[in-house]
Amino acid sequence: MRNISLLGATGSIGRSTLDLVRRYPEAVRVVGLTAHTRVAALAEAITEFCPAVAAIADPTLLPELRERVGDAPTELVAGPEGVVQVATQAECDTVLAAIVGGAGLAPTLAAARAGKDIALANKEALVMAGDLFLRGMAAGGGRLIPVDSEHSAVYQCLRGCRIEDVRRIILTASGGPFHGRPEIDLAAVTRAQALNHPNWSMGEKITIDSATLMNKGLEVIEARYLFTGDHGAATIDVVIHPESIVHSVVELCDGQMLAQLGMPDMRGPIAYALTGPRRAADVMPRLDLTATPLHFTTPDLDRFPCLRLGFDALAGGGPLPCVLNGANETAVAAFLDNAIPFTAIPEVIEAVMAACTAPAPATLEEVLEIDRWARERASGEVTRKG
Ligand code: NDP
Ligand code: MG
């Protein structure tokens, strides 16, 4: 039985996790919940799952949360400190980190240092502060288990393999709504078009990241920290696989490849992160291998430069992954506000990365300072382009 604190309970990953808790009460129990502003949805989840403690990250909403929850026995807390309290409380052994963006770093790092097992969906935390985060995991002694579908696939393929025998990790990417559509003028695409993902239903930020291929850029960095830190000889590649059935591939030194397949449904990787190596039965719809032909092609880095920027940030190291992430969050928010065109997203990020002269961050405070700088600088670029 896992006792989980679910950070980001009201989001796409959060809701899929709660669906699994409902269906497998013998395997997972909720002891902590958090949200940012969706107070009604958080109150409903508190009433249903009765966690020991719940946090609303926007402290101005605490009175409304209290009113909605009534006399439920859950302790209610607020603000970023409240989210950290939920992530580190004694009742919880596992934190499912499903806050979107840099806001997830501080509570997830606190949980890592407190020795919790971390089921990680919040890839931005690892991209911003990979070394610091892994040091936090090592100090706390908990396990880091990927939730991201590609990384869950690699994690599953690597069971029974020696990392020294891995030649290449191949992350698959759907390509998003604009892959294979050269007739579409990317400078003119609308918010609604970019949010219309062909295979996955996800939060808005990651859906835009999928359309720009930045999601894959972040995932390349995530894979480096999760799998190949001690084995730099293994390369990480990306292939476009529009069907999203093969979730990733591991190529071994003898030339053989291992892959993990399944329907595009995040409940599969979430359940595996929470119950593995055991499997819960009938988590997701079954895959009919005869139903869909599978295709693989090379990504177009000229049309989708965000993936190239992800590789550049990984190669440059130091502060660059954190800068990439902060500038991307600002640029995506600006695109979603209709302040810049889709094609300005990589332009903003590239300009901010080029301007960075900071040394590699060593502490959480230094990471957050670089993140603040990148967002400010990106806002300036947005104003210039808007
Ligand atoms: P959503 O936008 O759907 O949900 C985000 C969650 O984070 C919500 O609960 C939101 O609260 C909370 N949140 C947002 N801002 C803050 C903040 N400042 N402080 C505290 N909490 C905050 O995102 P997703 O579920 O799509 O994604 C979550 C993470 O998982 C991301 O890192 C994403 O990259 C990763 N991921 C998602 C996948 C998916 O299928 N969705 C697949 C693989 C990875 P509120 O609702 O109150 O605003
Ligand atoms: Mg993914």
Side-chain angles (χ1 to χ4, degrees), residues 188-202:
V189 299
T190 63
R191 187 183 189 282
Q193 283 174 303
L195 285 172
N196 186 22
H197 197 282
N199 304 340
W200 296 96
S201 159
M202 309 181 285

Side-chain angles (χ1 to χ4, degrees), residues 39-128:
V39 64
L42 178 62
E44 259 175 49
I46 292 170
T47 307
E48 181 178 356
F49 295 98
C50 291
V53 52
I56 185 86
D58 178 345
T60 64
L61 294 171
L62 184 60
E64 184 182 344
L65 183 65
R66 284 197 199 292
E67 197 172 310
R68 285 178 181 272
V69 167
D71 52 9
T74 300
E75 180 190 357
L76 301 179
V77 294
E81 325 75 57
V83 178
V84 170
Q85 184 181 332
V86 174
T88 54
Q89 60 158 326
E91 294 252 349
C92 119
D93 50 59
T94 305
V95 165
L96 201 143
I99 291 176
V100 63
L105 173 59
T108 309
L109 180 61
R113 289 172 170 165
K116 310 300 182 190
D117 285 349
I118 309 283
L120 186 75
N122 179 212
K123 66 193 87 182
E124 296 93 340
L126 203 53
V127 169
M128 290 171 76

